[in-house]
Amino acid sequence: MQARLSASDSKIAVLEARISFKENVMEELKKENKLLEARMSASENLTEELKRENTDLLARITTSENKSTVLEARMSSSENKVEELKKENAERPKVAFSFGLTDAGRIGPFNTDITLKFSRVFTNFGQAYNPTTGMFTAPVRGAYYFRFSAWDDRSSSSIGANLYHNGKRVSWNSAYNTDPSYITITNALVLQLEKGDVVYMVLPSNHGIWDDIHNRTTFSGFLLFSL
């Protein structure tokens, strides 16, 4: 009996040891499972955060793409306008002239009016001013700006320069010099001209004028805009 009891106690001890071992294994597995659950939860949270960030990035990308589309449309519109302006500018006639009268010194007075022929060219874009005839001929219908100045140094004499449009005087300019020094006159105006109209300067009878290498007497004009 004693031997059987001793054998039974041994078996019980072995079983208890095995149970204790399994319980320890179970506890270890529980700990590992909790750790895995914590890591899984953290991973799920990170995944959700990444999803939210991805959604935000997609929204921002979509907004950026929309803005880019709008900017591209505006750029295309601006480029088209620039091309239109370039075309308009290329087609617009370029008309501008500026001349000095002469380097010969005194001119006049004469018994009759004479057309002043400005021969010292500074600019003559469009070749609308003819220094041989003294005539400016409008190449297109439009608004034109004209300016002139005249100089003389003779005392007790008259200086004059009148602007004519198609044979009609539109500006009378005259002064009498009472001092023993120089005298000047100047004027400017805007005229509406038809294509082929002529504008020119006239020295009135009994008036004198002076010009030399210093370009004291000048005549200039240019097209403001076509009509």
Side-chain angles (χ1 to χ4, degrees), residues 1-13:
M1 288 292 291
Q2 185 65 35
R4 291 175 62 187
L5 181 60
S6 177
S8 178
D9 289 340
S10 296
K11 287 181 180 180
I12 290 171

Side-chain angles (χ1 to χ4, degrees), residues 157-169:
S157 63
S158 296
I159 181 176
N162 301 329
L163 185 75
Y164 278 73
H165 171 211
N166 288 346
K168 180 181 178 181
R169 188 179 66 211

Side-chain angles (χ1 to χ4, degrees), residues 179-191:
D179 298 323
S181 63
Y182 68 87
I183 187 172
T184 62
I185 56 174
T186 186
N187 208 343
L189 66 165
V190 174
L191 295 178

Side-chain angles (χ1 to χ4, degrees), residues 88 91-93 139-144 192-193 223-227:
E88 289 178 5
E91 294 174 350
R92 182 180 301 157
V140 294
R141 183 174 184 265
Y144 292 80
Q192 179 178 330
L193 304 181
L223 172 66
L224 291 170
F225 49 84
S226 56
L227 297 172

